[in-house]
Amino acid sequence: MQELFSLQGKVAWVTGASYGIGFAIASAYAAAGATIVFNDLNPELVERGIAAYKAAGIHAHGHVCDVTSEEQVNALVARLEQEVGSVDILVNNAGIIKRIPMIEMTAAEFRQVIDVDLNAPFIVAKAVIPGMIKKGHGKIINVCSMMSELGRETVAAYAAAKGGLKMLTRNIASEYGAYNIQCNGIGPGYIATPQTAPLREPGHPFNSFIIAKTPAARWGTPEDLQGPALFLASDASNFVNGHVLYVDGGILAYIGKQP
Ligand code: NAP
Ligand code: GCO
């Protein structure tokens, strides 16, 4: 069984993984034996990430790369092939959110969210798939959301992007499954990270709303995602394709607290 979940000898690239969910997923992959590559938007974040991995006993390869830029992504993939080998496992984790009522949101703001949360996973997956085809295997894990299934006030662009990412996941699985490439989504519920910090401020009504909506009666932690993300990256999931694994403490199963 240990062998089935081992990532020994694998190169795993987790995008936007200096901290938060990406950092937790990459740390789990390192513990399972993978070589870790991550990128972030600026040198300060990359340095901060390298130091955080080092403190956790992990030698991670950090690079500055904006995942919305096809040019930067292709250049990084070429560099990785020289430095660590081609990517076996890709986690499209980098993401942004803008919480703005839809009729106040500009088209430029909407486009920016779609660019990072949907176009970028396409760009990065497209860049690594040829190497996976050559190797005869590959794992792509797209970080989806509750908003891949549900709507809520103020997150129109994010929901459109994460819903689209679920379908991109199914399409990659459909198009490249025959090459032994598995593309699945992981759908975190409400997780305590800097992205959700504004919603968790003391006294914010959203905090008690989420706890009431979650059968587990708590916010998730980035560590809650480690086991499911390892499953999707390992040989244990070799016949699981086009699936979104929701890790949400039961939110999607629950109608809500009865009055
Ligand atoms: P986070 O704390 O905001 O981290 C996201 C990371 O992505 C940051 O390091 C960010 O860099 C980076 N990033 C943003 N745009 C980028 C770009 N163009 N190129 C490269 N890197 C970029 O978010 P998180 O909460 O850990 O979320 C990680 C993923 O999980 C996201 O896709 C998010 O939508 C998803 N998710 C989160 C939750 C939750 O409850 N937290 C739930 C469901 C899904 P900067 O720091 O420079 O912005
Ligand atoms: C929100 C957004 C995110 C969530 C997450 C849910 O409601 O503001 O949906 O912040 O954290 O993506 O899965």
mmCIF file of all heavy atoms in Angstrom, residues 96-98 105 108-119 156-159 161:
data_model
loop_
_atom_site.group_PDB
_atom_site.id
_atom_site.type_symbol
_atom_site.label_atom_id
_atom_site.label_comp_id
_atom_site.label_asym_id
_atom_site.label_seq_id
_atom_site.Cartn_x
_atom_site.Cartn_y
_atom_site.Cartn_z
ATOM 1 N N ILE A 96 -7.214 33.646 -7.646
ATOM 2 C CA ILE A 96 -7.602 34.904 -6.988
ATOM 3 C C ILE A 96 -9.131 34.942 -6.886
ATOM 4 O O ILE A 96 -9.829 34.208 -7.588
ATOM 5 C CB ILE A 96 -7.107 36.167 -7.748
ATOM 6 C CG1 ILE A 96 -7.651 36.205 -9.186
ATOM 7 C CG2 ILE A 96 -5.590 36.243 -7.745
ATOM 8 C CD1 ILE A 96 -7.440 37.555 -9.876
ATOM 9 N N ILE A 97 -9.604 35.834 -6.025
ATOM 10 C CA ILE A 97 -11.052 36.053 -5.918
ATOM 11 C C ILE A 97 -11.297 37.550 -5.785
ATOM 12 O O ILE A 97 -10.460 38.270 -5.219
ATOM 13 C CB ILE A 97 -11.634 35.280 -4.713
ATOM 14 C CG1 ILE A 97 -13.165 35.321 -4.721
ATOM 15 C CG2 ILE A 97 -11.093 35.785 -3.376
ATOM 16 C CD1 ILE A 97 -13.827 34.305 -3.804
ATOM 17 N N LYS A 98 -12.396 38.028 -6.341
ATOM 18 C CA LYS A 98 -12.835 39.418 -6.121
ATOM 19 C C LYS A 98 -14.268 39.339 -5.634
ATOM 20 O O LYS A 98 -15.119 38.801 -6.342
ATOM 21 C CB LYS A 98 -12.756 40.232 -7.410
ATOM 22 C CG LYS A 98 -11.325 40.496 -7.854
ATOM 23 C CD LYS A 98 -11.292 41.413 -9.064
ATOM 24 C CE LYS A 98 -9.870 41.543 -9.593
ATOM 25 N NZ LYS A 98 -8.975 42.257 -8.662
ATOM 26 N N MET A 105 -19.321 45.154 -10.664
ATOM 27 C CA MET A 105 -18.033 44.622 -11.135
ATOM 28 C C MET A 105 -17.774 45.085 -12.567
ATOM 29 O O MET A 105 -18.677 45.040 -13.411
ATOM 30 C CB MET A 105 -18.080 43.097 -11.068
ATOM 31 C CG MET A 105 -16.779 42.430 -11.443
ATOM 32 S SD MET A 105 -16.898 40.633 -11.196
ATOM 33 C CE MET A 105 -15.698 40.384 -9.913
ATOM 34 N N ALA A 108 -13.388 44.374 -16.821
ATOM 35 C CA ALA A 108 -11.945 44.123 -16.667
ATOM 36 C C ALA A 108 -11.691 43.286 -15.414
ATOM 37 O O ALA A 108 -10.852 42.374 -15.423
ATOM 38 C CB ALA A 108 -11.190 45.443 -16.592
ATOM 39 N N GLU A 109 -12.419 43.570 -14.328
ATOM 40 C CA GLU A 109 -12.249 42.780 -13.097
ATOM 41 C C GLU A 109 -12.698 41.334 -13.324
ATOM 42 O O GLU A 109 -12.046 40.387 -12.878
ATOM 43 C CB GLU A 109 -13.052 43.410 -11.950
ATOM 44 C CG GLU A 109 -12.422 44.693 -11.428
ATOM 45 C CD GLU A 109 -13.339 45.499 -10.518
ATOM 46 O OE1 GLU A 109 -14.598 45.434 -10.669
ATOM 47 O OE2 GLU A 109 -12.807 46.232 -9.662
ATOM 48 N N PHE A 110 -13.832 41.187 -14.021
ATOM 49 C CA PHE A 110 -14.349 39.841 -14.331
ATOM 50 C C PHE A 110 -13.298 39.063 -15.132
ATOM 51 O O PHE A 110 -12.951 37.929 -14.804
ATOM 52 C CB PHE A 110 -15.662 39.964 -15.113
ATOM 53 C CG PHE A 110 -16.404 38.662 -15.291
ATOM 54 C CD1 PHE A 110 -17.369 38.264 -14.381
ATOM 55 C CD2 PHE A 110 -16.145 37.844 -16.382
ATOM 56 C CE1 PHE A 110 -18.057 37.055 -14.535
ATOM 57 C CE2 PHE A 110 -16.829 36.637 -16.553
ATOM 58 C CZ PHE A 110 -17.786 36.252 -15.630
ATOM 59 N N ARG A 111 -12.756 39.736 -16.172
ATOM 60 C CA ARG A 111 -11.763 39.072 -17.039
ATOM 61 C C ARG A 111 -10.514 38.658 -16.266
ATOM 62 O O ARG A 111 -9.930 37.613 -16.520
ATOM 63 C CB ARG A 111 -11.316 40.025 -18.157
ATOM 64 C CG ARG A 111 -12.117 39.858 -19.398
ATOM 65 C CD ARG A 111 -11.510 40.592 -20.586
ATOM 66 N NE ARG A 111 -12.602 41.025 -21.418
ATOM 67 C CZ ARG A 111 -13.044 42.254 -21.511
ATOM 68 N NH1 ARG A 111 -12.446 43.240 -20.875
ATOM 69 N NH2 ARG A 111 -14.076 42.548 -22.271
ATOM 70 N N GLN A 112 -10.106 39.505 -15.301
ATOM 71 C CA GLN A 112 -8.875 39.200 -14.552
ATOM 72 C C GLN A 112 -9.031 37.901 -13.747
ATOM 73 O O GLN A 112 -8.118 37.073 -13.697
ATOM 74 C CB GLN A 112 -8.536 40.371 -13.612
ATOM 75 C CG GLN A 112 -7.113 40.292 -13.082
ATOM 76 C CD GLN A 112 -6.874 41.242 -11.920
ATOM 77 O OE1 GLN A 112 -7.671 42.159 -11.673
ATOM 78 N NE2 GLN A 112 -5.799 41.028 -11.201
ATOM 79 N N VAL A 113 -10.213 37.733 -13.138
ATOM 80 C CA VAL A 113 -10.459 36.510 -12.362
ATOM 81 C C VAL A 113 -10.485 35.294 -13.294
ATOM 82 O O VAL A 113 -9.873 34.258 -13.014
ATOM 83 C CB VAL A 113 -11.777 36.621 -11.545
ATOM 84 C CG1 VAL A 113 -12.089 35.309 -10.840
ATOM 85 C CG2 VAL A 113 -11.669 37.763 -10.534
ATOM 86 N N ILE A 114 -11.165 35.433 -14.435
ATOM 87 C CA ILE A 114 -11.213 34.318 -15.401
ATOM 88 C C ILE A 114 -9.797 33.999 -15.900
ATOM 89 O O ILE A 114 -9.433 32.835 -16.093
ATOM 90 C CB ILE A 114 -12.130 34.669 -16.608
ATOM 91 C CG1 ILE A 114 -13.567 34.969 -16.149
ATOM 92 C CG2 ILE A 114 -12.088 33.564 -17.681
ATOM 93 C CD1 ILE A 114 -14.373 33.784 -15.708
ATOM 94 N N ASP A 115 -8.996 35.037 -16.061
ATOM 95 C CA ASP A 115 -7.640 34.871 -16.570
ATOM 96 C C ASP A 115 -6.795 34.006 -15.626
ATOM 97 O O ASP A 115 -6.121 33.074 -16.063
ATOM 98 C CB ASP A 115 -7.004 36.256 -16.726
ATOM 99 C CG ASP A 115 -6.020 36.287 -17.857
ATOM 100 O OD1 ASP A 115 -6.154 35.447 -18.776
ATOM 101 O OD2 ASP A 115 -5.118 37.144 -17.833
ATOM 102 N N VAL A 116 -6.848 34.321 -14.323
ATOM 103 C CA VAL A 116 -6.005 33.586 -13.359
ATOM 104 C C VAL A 116 -6.616 32.218 -13.033
ATOM 105 O O VAL A 116 -5.910 31.217 -12.947
ATOM 106 C CB VAL A 116 -5.817 34.394 -12.051
ATOM 107 C CG1 VAL A 116 -4.944 33.610 -11.061
ATOM 108 C CG2 VAL A 116 -5.208 35.769 -12.321
ATOM 109 N N ASP A 117 -7.939 32.165 -12.853
ATOM 110 C CA ASP A 117 -8.566 30.953 -12.307
ATOM 111 C C ASP A 117 -8.980 29.942 -13.386
ATOM 112 O O ASP A 117 -9.240 28.782 -13.067
ATOM 113 C CB ASP A 117 -9.801 31.322 -11.459
ATOM 114 C CG ASP A 117 -9.422 32.089 -10.189
ATOM 115 O OD1 ASP A 117 -8.211 32.274 -9.949
ATOM 116 O OD2 ASP A 117 -10.325 32.503 -9.447
ATOM 117 N N LEU A 118 -9.058 30.382 -14.644
ATOM 118 C CA LEU A 118 -9.476 29.449 -15.702
ATOM 119 C C LEU A 118 -8.501 29.410 -16.885
ATOM 120 O O LEU A 118 -8.051 28.336 -17.280
ATOM 121 C CB LEU A 118 -10.890 29.812 -16.185
ATOM 122 C CG LEU A 118 -11.495 28.902 -17.260
ATOM 123 C CD1 LEU A 118 -11.525 27.437 -16.819
ATOM 124 C CD2 LEU A 118 -12.907 29.364 -17.620
ATOM 125 N N ASN A 119 -8.131 30.585 -17.416
ATOM 126 C CA ASN A 119 -7.200 30.568 -18.556
ATOM 127 C C ASN A 119 -5.839 29.995 -18.144
ATOM 128 O O ASN A 119 -5.225 29.239 -18.904
ATOM 129 C CB ASN A 119 -6.996 31.981 -19.124
ATOM 130 C CG ASN A 119 -8.224 32.481 -19.868
ATOM 131 O OD1 ASN A 119 -9.079 31.696 -20.255
ATOM 132 N ND2 ASN A 119 -8.327 33.781 -20.064
ATOM 133 N N ALA A 156 -19.504 36.286 -8.756
ATOM 134 C CA ALA A 156 -19.906 35.852 -10.103
ATOM 135 C C ALA A 156 -18.710 35.397 -10.943
ATOM 136 O O ALA A 156 -18.756 34.320 -11.577
ATOM 137 C CB ALA A 156 -20.632 36.994 -10.821
ATOM 138 N N ALA A 157 -17.642 36.172 -10.942
ATOM 139 C CA ALA A 157 -16.491 35.830 -11.792
ATOM 140 C C ALA A 157 -15.818 34.558 -11.290
ATOM 141 O O ALA A 157 -15.462 33.666 -12.074
ATOM 142 C CB ALA A 157 -15.483 36.982 -11.802
ATOM 143 N N TYR A 158 -15.655 34.473 -9.976
ATOM 144 C CA TYR A 158 -14.991 33.311 -9.359
ATOM 145 C C TYR A 158 -15.804 32.040 -9.642
ATOM 146 O O TYR A 158 -15.254 31.001 -10.009
ATOM 147 C CB TYR A 158 -14.865 33.580 -7.860
ATOM 148 C CG TYR A 158 -14.072 32.568 -7.070
ATOM 149 C CD1 TYR A 158 -12.669 32.571 -7.088
ATOM 150 C CD2 TYR A 158 -14.703 31.626 -6.258
ATOM 151 C CE1 TYR A 158 -11.936 31.660 -6.335
ATOM 152 C CE2 TYR A 158 -13.982 30.715 -5.505
ATOM 153 C CZ TYR A 158 -12.597 30.734 -5.543
ATOM 154 O OH TYR A 158 -11.870 29.833 -4.786
ATOM 155 N N ALA A 159 -17.139 32.127 -9.482
ATOM 156 C CA ALA A 159 -17.991 30.956 -9.718
ATOM 157 C C ALA A 159 -17.950 30.559 -11.193
ATOM 158 O O ALA A 159 -17.895 29.366 -11.525
ATOM 159 C CB ALA A 159 -19.422 31.247 -9.271
ATOM 160 N N ALA A 161 -15.477 31.036 -13.226
ATOM 161 C CA ALA A 161 -14.157 30.441 -13.485
ATOM 162 C C ALA A 161 -14.063 29.036 -12.906
ATOM 163 O O ALA A 161 -13.607 28.100 -13.574
ATOM 164 C CB ALA A 161 -13.059 31.323 -12.897
#
